Amino acid sequence: MGTLNKYIFNQVLVAALMTVALFVFVLVLGNILKEVMGDLTAGRLSISFFLYIVALIIPGVIPYALPMGMLTGILLVFGRMSAQSEIVAMKACGRSIFAMAAPVFFIAICASIFSVAINFYYAPAANHAYKTALKNVIRANPLQFIQPGSFIRDFPGYVIYANSAEGKELVSFRIWELDKQGRAKISIQSERGVLSYDDKNDEIVLTLKNGSAERSRGDDPENLRKPLPSARFDELLIKLPLNDIIGSMDKGSKRLKRMTFGELMQARKTWHPRPIEQTTPELAYRDKIEVQLQIQKNIAMAFSIFSMVVLAVPLGIKASRTETFANLAIALALAMTYYIMTVVISWLEKYPTLRPDILIWLPNLIFQATGAILIWRASKN
């Protein structure tokens, strides 16, 4: 590798690593705020378990951070080189745009291969481990989701409150069931409540003892009638689905996006998201296309790095900007365009005759073709 190529290689590699790290941090932070920050601040998760969860989230965001980071890094480097007339000087020395871009394409190909490994193994394995870890924590101590002395609103349609806790029992327990307008339609109170975890249905089962229930009047939901004698109970079971607060726990079989490559290849023959007796030949074909779409999407997403790099090189030269925010805005716009196209094509999974598993490569082809045309034009100028 010549001195010039080494210079470009080092500049792009350093910039790409820094911007990828930035996007990993931002995406991990977003996932933390969405998934587990509330549980941490409420005291439901320990610091060590929280850090373990963060480590499991990172592989899942790398496939998204790599394309955006590579885009931003290349735009920064080539934009600066163009703004400082380094590109013009290199052309004057007989270097073509293709020769200058060769080290960048090498980095992009290596990053794409690395992303394939992430998409087909590390990300689904980490995602499954993340869900399993949360499930095990809840199984071991379901009481952590009900903090005494606080109104719990994590379960949609319910507000829960307990004065205190004695061992695994909640004392002076109250729960309100809400209507669609968020008004209390049923109020239940009991002397004690015991929580357990239903592994089969992914539910917290709340067993209330020695209590009564009140129902609101239809004409005035804000006021609750005094409980009738028939409303009293010795024991009452209330089931609270966990998927409302931590997402589905994968009942029975894994979701496709959490399968490794080997599992996806096996799923092409065996995966059915319904009882086998309800599967018709048409549905079986649709299921197969859905699995193939996931396989092709994983590969296409990995090689989106190369596709975006092909487009980023001429854009960086043409933009001639040294401003970080301007290049970041361009990178985000390109990445969002790619992801929106991918999402739209993914919606076609219910229409297998359109072969969305093949169409998923369309964004890559568009980006590569556009980038190739722009590079050719830049080399002529």
Side-chain angles (χ1 to χ4, degrees):
M1 186 182 292
T3 303
L4 182 59
N5 283 351
K6 286 183 179 179
Y7 171 75
I8 296 175
F9 179 88
N10 292 333
Q11 290 288 314
V12 172
L13 183 62
V14 171
L17 289 175
M18 292 177 63
T19 50
V20 167
L22 172 64
F23 281 113
V24 167
F25 173 78
V26 171
L27 292 174
V28 168
L29 181 62
N31 278 274
I32 289 172
L33 292 175
K34 176 184 175 183
E35 300 286 346
V36 296
M37 183 57 75
D39 296 327
L40 178 68
T41 56
R44 299 168 187 162
L45 303 178
S46 65
I47 295 296
S48 60
F49 184 78
F50 172 76
L51 295 176
Y52 174 66
I53 290 296
V54 170
L56 292 178
I57 290 176
I58 291 175
V61 304
I62 287 179
Y64 299 95
L66 272 175
M68 292 188 291
M70 288 289 296
L71 262 174
T72 307
I74 291 168
L75 289 171
L76 285 171
V77 172
F78 277 81
R80 177 187 57 77
M81 292 173 63
S82 181
Q84 296 177 357
S85 300
E86 291 184 38
I87 298 293
V88 175
M90 292 179 186
K91 284 185 177 181
C93 294
R95 304 290 296 185
S96 68
I97 297 295
F98 296 101
M100 286 184 277
V104 180
F105 292 155
F106 175 75
I107 296 174
I109 292 173
C110 292
S112 295
I113 294 173
F114 172 72
S115 188
V116 168
I118 291 290
N119 288 351
F120 275 119
Y121 183 74
Y122 295 104
N127 196 307
H128 182 67
Y130 162 70
K131 293 295 182 181
T132 302
L134 282 181
K135 186 175 180 179
N136 290 337
V137 167
I138 297 164
R139 179 191 292 116
N141 184 20
L143 188 62
Q144 65 188 315
F145 275 88
I146 311 295
Q147 295 298 313
S150 301
F151 288 93
I152 309 300
R153 295 180 172 85
D154 292 324
F155 298 93
Y158 294 95
V159 176
I160 300 172
Y161 180 85
N163 279 341
S164 60
E166 294 180 0
K168 294 186 177 182
E169 288 191 345
L170 296 166
V171 181
S172 298
F173 187 90
R174 295 202 66 175
I175 181 170
W176 293 267
E177 185 177 349
L178 311 179
D179 60 17
K180 294 181 179 180
Q181 287 73 41
R183 301 173 302 187
K185 63 179 181 180
I186 298 176
S187 174
I188 302 173
Q189 54 186 349
S190 67
E191 295 179 5
R192 293 182 177 272
V194 179
L195 283 86
S196 59
Y197 175 67
D198 184 348
D199 181 76
K200 181 179 180 180
N201 298 310
D202 291 323
E203 295 174 331
I204 288 180
V205 179
L206 179 60
T207 304
L208 303 181
K209 300 178 180 180
N210 300 325
S212 61
E214 303 170 314
R215 181 179 294 274
S216 64
R217 292 199 300 264
D219 57 344
D220 188 5
E222 298 299 330
N223 292 325
L224 295 169
R225 292 201 303 263
K226 291 183 178 180
L228 298 173
S230 59
R232 294 199 60 84
F233 58 83
D234 293 327
E235 185 173 286
L236 176 66
L237 295 181
I238 297 177
K239 296 183 178 181
L240 305 173
L242 285 175
N243 60 357
D244 288 340
I245 56 173
I246 60 173
S248 176
M249 288 293 195
D250 292 336
K251 304 168 189 174
S253 61
K254 288 184 181 178
R255 295 175 61 183
L256 291 177
K257 68 179 182 179
R258 296 184 192 134
M259 292 185 181
T260 61
F261 178 75
E263 291 171 334
L264 284 169
M265 294 303 293
Q266 181 64 30
R268 294 178 69 227
K269 302 176 182 178
T270 61
W271 189 78
H272 301 288
R274 69 189 68 80
I276 188 65
E277 61 272 9
Q278 299 178 11
T279 301
T280 63
E282 292 77 12
L283 290 176
Y285 178 70
R286 191 176 77 177
D287 295 340
K288 181 179 179 180
I289 293 297
E290 192 172 347
V291 176
Q292 291 181 177
L293 174 61
Q294 185 62 49
I295 295 173
Q296 296 299 326
K297 184 190 294 186
N298 286 350
I299 302 175
M301 284 288 292
F303 282 92
S304 68
I305 300 171
F306 180 78
S307 301
M308 292 186 188
V309 165
V310 171
L311 187 56
V313 169
L315 285 179
I317 295 174
K318 186 176 180 62
S320 300
R321 290 180 177 271
T322 58
E323 299 93 337
T324 301
F325 289 111
N327 289 304
L328 181 60
I330 295 173
L332 288 174
L334 290 174
M336 290 303 298
T337 300
Y338 181 92
Y339 295 138
I340 289 173
M341 294 172 66
T342 300
V343 169
V344 170
I345 294 173
S346 297
W347 289 343
L348 300 177
E349 65 182 9
K350 302 303 180 184
Y351 306 94
T353 54
L354 297 177
R355 295 307 301 269
D357 55 324
I358 297 177
L359 291 178
I360 200 67
W361 285 93
L362 189 59
N364 279 345
L365 295 177
I366 293 174
F367 272 56
Q368 290 180 21
T370 304
I373 293 172
L374 292 178
I375 290 176
W376 179 77
R377 288 182 177 180
S379 66
K380 294 297 183 181
N381 294 331

